[in-house]
Amino acid sequence: MKALALISGGLDSILAVEVLRNQGIEVLGITFETPFFSPDRARAAAHAIGLSLLVHDIADAHLTMLRAPRYGFGKNMNPCIDCHTLMLRKAGDKLVECGAEFLATGEVLGQRPMSQTRQSLYVVAKNSGYQDLIVRPLSARLLPETKPEREGKVDRMRLLDIQGRGRKRQFLLAEHYGITSYPPPAGGCLLTDPMFSRRLRDLFSHQRDFTLRDIELLKVGRHFRPTDDIKIIVGRNNGDNVMIESLAGLSDCVLRTAGHPGPTVMIPGGGTRDARIHAASLCVLYSDAPNDQEIQVDVSVGDKSSSMTAKASSKDDAKRWII
């Protein structure tokens, strides 16, 4: 008997695995990778409990879903119901390949107000296409019986009836199973971050043909939009500068102050002359150059280089332009 368990790296998904293992069921883990969350926490958790883990990249399918989620967004740009549905569908599609007979998740009834209500759990399971093969070991006895339980492959009475936002029972279970290290329940998904969500909304509203590279750029620097058709990215530190340079394409305009330490600045797509004037003024503002003097700014697009002079933009302008 083998289960394919969705692993987030949090305590609940770890406990779901252990509850099934306690019945002698073999468990294989699966986790997912997108531009908005990485498999690192799941890898660490799987290593800690000796669980084999499959990492599945669903970036393209996730981006397609994100453009128009059927059930909308949470507080920020987090389409939790549609995201969970997608992950269960992708995991279900792997059942035969992995030799597993059912899916398992660490979801807890009532723990999250958007994605773990009774109705949401039903909708997610139904829309995944694998409704009767999804076992939620931590809350199973509060939910409808699934095929593995009806057929006796999983002992329903040895599953649990946890519900709500409290985590006392999970902590006691962790102690019982000897689990001492696990991350906090929140975090890990950039789509729940307010600043990143603002940048993503801005990208969606101004650029229809964006790529995964454009998503990666949202993670670095300060982002400015002086006008609807101008987007400027300014590095905050050396790490940002290196990342911006590594993501710059042949058509992007990259600016740096000459003779003064400062940020790497990018105009995706190259930009107009007005865009470069704005970008140069921001480049000077966030550099170590004097703000009241004309400063030389080096400009490069692909293998073509030039220079221009600029004074720092005002802090009030920068504040108005920032995304």
Side-chain angles (χ1 to χ4, degrees):
M1 192 61 204
K2 187 175 183 180
L4 183 61
L6 279 70
I7 305 298
S8 66
L11 177 59
D12 290 342
S13 63
I14 295 171
L15 292 174
V17 170
E18 297 295 8
V19 169
L20 293 176
R21 281 174 161 177
N22 197 46
Q23 294 194 27
I25 297 169
E26 181 184 355
V27 182
L28 170 66
I30 185 170
T31 194
F32 300 95
E33 185 170 14
T34 75
F36 312 107
F37 46 83
S38 82
D40 293 346
R41 293 203 318 172
R43 283 195 177 107
H47 176 76
I49 62 173
L51 178 72
S52 296
L53 184 70
L54 172 66
V55 177
H56 189 18
D57 188 325
I58 57 170
D60 291 337
H62 195 272
L63 268 182
T64 299
M65 174 274 296
L66 190 60
R67 289 175 184 269
R70 179 178 177 181
Y71 293 95
F73 298 102
K75 184 178 179 181
N76 294 295
M77 286 289 282
N78 46 312
C80 295
I81 293 176
D82 295 271
C83 183
H84 288 192
T85 300
L86 175 64
M87 289 190 288
L88 279 166
R89 183 184 305 127
K90 293 293 185 180
D93 292 346
K94 293 280 185 182
L95 280 171
V96 173
E97 177 185 329
C98 295
E101 297 189 51
F102 68 94
L103 300 171
T105 80
E107 293 164 300
V108 171
L109 177 64
Q111 187 177 84
R112 297 187 184 277
M114 180 179 178
S115 61
Q116 292 181 16
T117 64
R118 188 176 298 276
Q119 178 66 16
S120 294
L121 293 178
Y122 168 78
V123 166
V124 166
K126 181 176 182 292
N127 291 344
S128 74
Y130 294 94
Q131 180 176 3
D132 208 25
L133 296 178
I134 299 170
V135 177
R136 295 172 167 115
L138 302 187
S139 295
R141 284 162 57 190
L142 300 171
L143 299 170
E145 218 172 17
T146 59
K147 183 179 178 181
E149 297 167 80
R150 290 195 304 272
E151 294 181 347
K153 295 175 180 177
V154 178
D155 185 348
R156 181 176 176 86
M157 297 311 297
R158 294 172 67 187
L159 302 178
L160 305 176
D161 57 355
I162 300 174
Q163 65 178 319
R165 300 177 68 94
R167 296 178 60 77
K168 182 177 180 180
R169 289 185 65 186
Q170 286 96 314
F171 295 149
L172 290 173
L173 276 172
E175 184 178 349
H176 171 74
Y177 288 119
I179 300 166
T180 57
S181 178
Y182 43 86
C189 179
L190 279 172
L191 295 172
T192 63
D193 179 82
M195 183 179 72
F196 184 85
S197 293
R198 286 197 302 272
R199 294 179 179 184
L200 185 61
R201 286 192 192 97
D202 175 82
L203 180 67
F204 279 9
S205 63
H206 288 89
Q207 189 174 336
R208 292 181 59 85
D209 58 344
F210 63 85
T211 65
L212 289 175
R213 192 289 298 253
D214 297 310
I215 299 292
E216 291 300 318
L217 281 170
L218 299 181
K219 302 175 185 179
V220 298
R222 300 177 177 92
H223 289 238
F224 298 87
R225 193 170 289 280
T227 65
D228 271 352
D229 59 344
I230 297 175
K231 169 76 171 288
I232 299 167
I233 303 169
V234 179
R236 294 167 299 186
N237 50 48
N238 186 60
D240 277 354
N241 292 346
V242 171
M243 183 61 68
I244 290 169
E245 290 173 13
S246 71
L247 292 170
L250 293 177
S251 64
D252 298 321
C253 181
V254 177
L255 304 91
R256 305 173 187 84
T257 49
H260 298 278
T264 296
V265 175
M266 178 199 288
I267 309 171
T272 62
R273 175 170 174 75
D274 283 346
R276 295 180 188 188
I277 291 171
H278 284 305
S281 71
L282 288 169
C283 190
V284 175
L285 175 65
Y286 288 101
S287 75
D288 290 344
N291 286 351
D292 58 348
Q293 297 179 20
E294 291 276 346
I295 302 298
Q296 180 179 327
V297 178
D298 293 332
V299 181
S300 62
V301 180
D303 58 359
K304 296 180 180 179
S305 299
S306 61
S307 65
M308 59 190 298
T309 58
K311 278 188 177 181
S313 64
S314 72
K315 292 182 179 180
D316 285 342
D317 281 343
K319 187 176 180 179
R320 284 191 296 106
W321 298 342
I322 200 162
I323 299 170

